[in-house]
């Protein structure tokens, strides 16, 4: 009886118990400036996604793996979501896509001393191209790749194709423009200028968060995320982030908070 009487008093003394934030595991890859494994905050898109979920009481842990392994772990239910991915038709077989975060721009990188021009994917058939496993480069390129019409060398690591391109062992490497130059600055800080991009876009497409298909929890998380993301868009965060990515200042971008929005 004594124990039963003292327990409520103890609980009152301690005050209300604060619920622990629910933790989410999101798979990604080292893809600076969008996602950067060397930064404690995970890079620009990691900051955005953490801020969006934080306003709904979720805490995000980012898991860095190769892109194709992220997909497998999502399908197996080991991850709540993966990012940043384009919403290609093949990915809709296993995933459901969030609203757009930012827009990526895929271009073809080549050596500066190599005369190169192209108009359609048909113009690429005579070149040896380095690609990364798990990537989508746009409908036309992906279709030609799957049909075996392109000469490709697929690699599991992000930086391998740029190293091969610098050595002259491949002719072209499709990559997001912002990611490409961030990677070149990291790999070849003194002579990265030997590699440039062709101004024609291979593909431009929104980058998104990808949740698991046919999973009730994923549907709930998608709705929560999209609703909060719209708040960030209305506050101008997504536009400022896109501008920071385009200008090379993504490391300095920080998302606003709902409290800041009220003050403004």
């Amino acid at each position: 009886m004594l124990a039963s009487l003292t327990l409520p008093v103890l609980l009152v003394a301690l005050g209300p118990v604060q619920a622990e934030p629910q933790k989410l595991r999101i798979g990604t890859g080292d893809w600076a400036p969008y996602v950067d494994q060397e930064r404690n905050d995970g890079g620009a898109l990691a900051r955005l996604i953490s801020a969006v979920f934080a306003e709904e009481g979720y805490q995000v842990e980012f898991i860095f793996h190769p892109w194709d392994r992220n997909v497998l772990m999502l399908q197996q239910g080991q991850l709540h979501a993966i990012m940043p991915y384009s919403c290609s038709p093949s990915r809709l077989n296993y995933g459901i896509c969030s609203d757009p975060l930012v827009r990526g721009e895929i271009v073809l990188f080549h050596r500066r001393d190599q005369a190169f021009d192209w108009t359609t994917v048909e113009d690429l058939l005579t070149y040896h191209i380095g690609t990364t496993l798990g990537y989508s480069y746009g409908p036309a390129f992906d279709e030609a790749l799957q049909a075996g019409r392109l000469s490709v060398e697929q690699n599991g690591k992000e930086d391998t194709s740029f190293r091969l391109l610098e050595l002259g062992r491949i002719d072209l490497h499709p990559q997001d423009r912002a990611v490409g130059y961030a990677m070149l600055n990291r790999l070849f800080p003194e002579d990265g200028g030997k590699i440039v991009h062709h101004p024609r876009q291979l593909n431009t497409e929104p980058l998104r968060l990808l949740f698991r298909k046919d999973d009730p929890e994923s549907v709930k998380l998608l709705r929560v995320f999209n609703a909060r993301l719209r708040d960030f868009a209305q506050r101008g965060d997504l536009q400022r982030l896109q501008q920071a990515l385009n200008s090379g200042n993504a490391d300095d971008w920080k998302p606003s908070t709902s409290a800041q929005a009220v003050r403004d």
Side-chain angles (χ1 to χ4, degrees):
M1 176 64 71
L2 180 61
S4 64
L5 290 175
T6 56
L7 181 59
V9 175
L10 179 61
L11 290 177
V12 171
L14 291 174
V17 177
Q18 298 295 323
E20 287 288 328
Q22 182 177 343
K23 294 185 179 180
L24 302 178
R25 288 167 51 88
I26 296 181
T28 187
D30 196 20
W31 210 45
Y34 298 105
V35 194
D36 191 342
Q37 192 171 7
E38 295 184 0
R39 291 179 60 94
N40 291 333
D41 59 18
L45 284 187
R47 289 197 297 278
L48 171 65
I49 291 169
S50 293
V52 172
F53 273 123
E55 293 200 357
E56 285 291 332
Y58 293 95
Q59 180 181 339
V60 178
E61 177 187 7
F62 292 97
I63 312 297
F64 286 81
H65 285 303
W67 302 105
D68 52 345
R69 184 176 176 187
N70 283 330
V71 170
L72 180 61
M73 292 177 69
L74 179 71
Q75 292 173 314
Q76 294 174 343
Q78 299 178 49
L79 298 171
H80 291 94
I82 55 179
M83 74 91 182
Y85 285 76
S86 61
C87 200
S88 61
S90 62
R91 288 173 180 156
L92 294 177
N93 293 327
Y94 58 82
I96 49 177
C97 303
S98 75
D99 289 345
L101 305 174
V102 293
R103 181 168 289 274
E105 177 186 319
I106 303 295
V107 295
L108 288 163
F109 283 86
H110 62 95
R111 293 186 303 280
R112 185 184 293 275
D113 60 6
Q114 174 189 15
F116 170 67
D117 194 16
W118 74 285
T119 303
T120 70
V121 172
E122 300 298 319
D123 300 325
L124 308 179
L125 302 185
T126 59
Y127 294 94
H128 192 45
I129 305 171
T131 61
T132 305
L133 288 169
Y135 262 47
S136 171
Y137 297 103
F141 188 95
D142 290 353
E143 181 180 351
L145 178 62
Q146 293 167 6
R149 296 164 54 222
L150 295 171
S151 171
V152 298
E153 182 167 335
Q154 289 193 310
N155 303 287
K157 293 185 63 178
E158 286 287 336
D159 59 2
T160 301
S161 289
F162 272 129
R163 295 183 186 277
L164 295 176
L165 186 58
E166 199 268 345
L167 293 171
R169 292 175 51 186
I170 61 173
D171 303 309
L172 303 171
H173 174 43
Q175 180 59 274
D176 180 275
R177 181 167 62 89
V179 172
Y181 282 108
M183 200 175 298
L184 287 172
N185 289 335
R186 183 184 297 179
L187 292 172
F188 314 114
E190 296 183 0
D191 62 354
K194 290 182 179 180
I195 297 176
V196 297
H197 79 283
H198 189 281
R200 186 181 302 281
Q201 297 173 352
L202 182 62
N203 189 47
T204 178
E205 197 166 355
L207 300 174
R208 306 169 188 259
L209 202 56
L210 196 63
F211 297 86
R212 191 156 67 109
K213 188 177 180 179
D214 299 327
D215 177 24
E217 184 182 11
S218 293
V219 173
K220 174 188 173 184
L221 289 173
L222 174 67
R223 290 173 179 167
V224 165
F225 182 79
N226 282 345
R228 281 297 184 179
L229 185 66
R230 284 191 286 271
D231 293 339
F232 280 76
Q234 291 172 1
R235 302 203 291 258
D237 284 283
L238 301 190
Q239 181 180 2
R240 287 191 292 269
L241 174 54
Q242 187 72 66
Q243 291 170 345
L245 288 164
N246 294 343
S247 62
N249 298 317
D251 287 347
D252 299 326
W253 175 86
K254 290 184 174 64
S256 65
T257 64
S258 55
Q260 287 175 325
V262 172
R263 289 199 302 268
D264 294 342

